């Protein structure tokens, strides 16, 4: 039986976007050795859903400067214009969490690639991530029927499964995103919290 790696993240987390190239490559290289599972964390859900205003926009811009400096990933001008500088965009982690949870059920092997496309839609293109069409379009690019994805996306069953993911992340003791946890012989160890470069993570997994 394979050892397991839990990747706890949020589709609206800038540091998770900064980590996206690294974790996608790590998954691609190590998926035959480890069983990977993405766990949406629910950063902005329920009472924590945010509505963009100038203060929040400036706070995120400042954080993103640090993300770019450390990770070499870039936030798109459309993201800055449509999301950070635009008035009133609602930031809700639930739709992205549902999309990731659903896609992982449909095509687990490609789930990290799908996640990366969602992050690019938001952090590069500045798309409205409350619009189901954003997710169905990406799902279609992976060969998934728009009608099937949409029907399952809107189901009560999926909503409940996503809340289970949120609870699972909390039970794993995750306090910030992104966090990578290795489960080996029923023992769980945090192997990355925040941004970690590819070589460092690769070395950890090669030596387990």
């Amino acid at each position: 039986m394979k050892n397991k790696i839990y990747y706890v993240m949020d589709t609206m987390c800038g540091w998770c976007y900064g980590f996206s190239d690294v974790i996608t490559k790590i998954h691609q290289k190590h998926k035959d050795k480890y069983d990977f599972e993405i766990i949406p964390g629910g950063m902005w859900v329920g009472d924590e859903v945010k509505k963009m205003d100038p203060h929040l926009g400036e706070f995120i811009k400042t954080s993103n400067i640090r993300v770019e400096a450390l990770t070499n990933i870039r936030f798109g001008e459309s993201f800055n214009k449509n999301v950070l500088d635009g008035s009133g965009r609602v930031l809700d982690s639930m739709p992205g969490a549902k999309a990731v949870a659903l896609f992982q059920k449909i095509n687990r092997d490609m789930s990290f690639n799908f996640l990366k496309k969602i992050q690019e839609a938001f952090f590069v293109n500045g798309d409205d991530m409350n619009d189901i069409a954003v997710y169905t379009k990406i799902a279609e690019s992976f060969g998934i029927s728009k009608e099937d994805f949409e029907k399952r996306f809107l189901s009560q069953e999926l909503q409940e499964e996503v809340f289970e993911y949120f609870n699972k992340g909390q039970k794993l003791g995750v306090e910030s995103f992104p966090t990578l946890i290795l489960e080996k012989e029923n023992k769980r160890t945090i192997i990355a919290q925040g941004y970690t470069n590819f070589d460092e993570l690769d070395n950890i997994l090669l030596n387990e």
Side-chain angles (χ1 to χ4, degrees), residues 11 37-40 94-111 114-115 118 132 135-136 139-140 144-155 157-163 165:
T11 57
E37 181 176 9
I38 301 172
I39 299 181
M94 179 58 80
K98 286 168 62 176
V100 170
L102 174 54
F103 191 91
Q104 192 163 231
K105 290 171 67 175
I106 298 170
N107 188 344
R108 195 179 188 92
D109 188 55
M110 295 299 292
S111 56
F114 177 78
L115 169 58
I118 287 180
I132 189 174
Y135 304 103
T136 56
E140 282 184 297
I144 296 169
S145 155
K146 174 185 176 182
E147 290 74 22
D148 180 53
F149 191 88
E150 196 169 89
K151 181 180 178 181
R152 296 171 70 176
F153 183 92
L154 296 171
S155 69
E157 178 188 5
L158 182 63
Q159 182 103 346
E160 290 168 2
E161 287 174 6
V162 168
F163 280 117
Y165 271 122

Side-chain angles (χ1 to χ4, degrees), residues 2-6 31 33-37 108:
K2 292 180 184 177
N3 292 325
K4 189 155 191 172
I5 291 176
Y6 298 103
K31 63 184 180 181
K33 181 179 178 183
Y34 297 94
D35 179 20
F36 284 79
E37 181 176 9
R108 195 179 188 92

Side-chain angles (χ1 to χ4, degrees), residues 13-14 17 31 39 42 48 57 72 96 112 117 126 146-147 152 177 179-180 204:
C13 161
Y17 169 58
K31 63 184 180 181
I39 299 181
E48 295 301 316
N72 291 320
F112 282 85
K117 290 293 184 184
K146 174 185 176 182
E147 290 74 22
R152 296 171 70 176
F177 309 124
T179 295
L180 213 58
I204 291 170

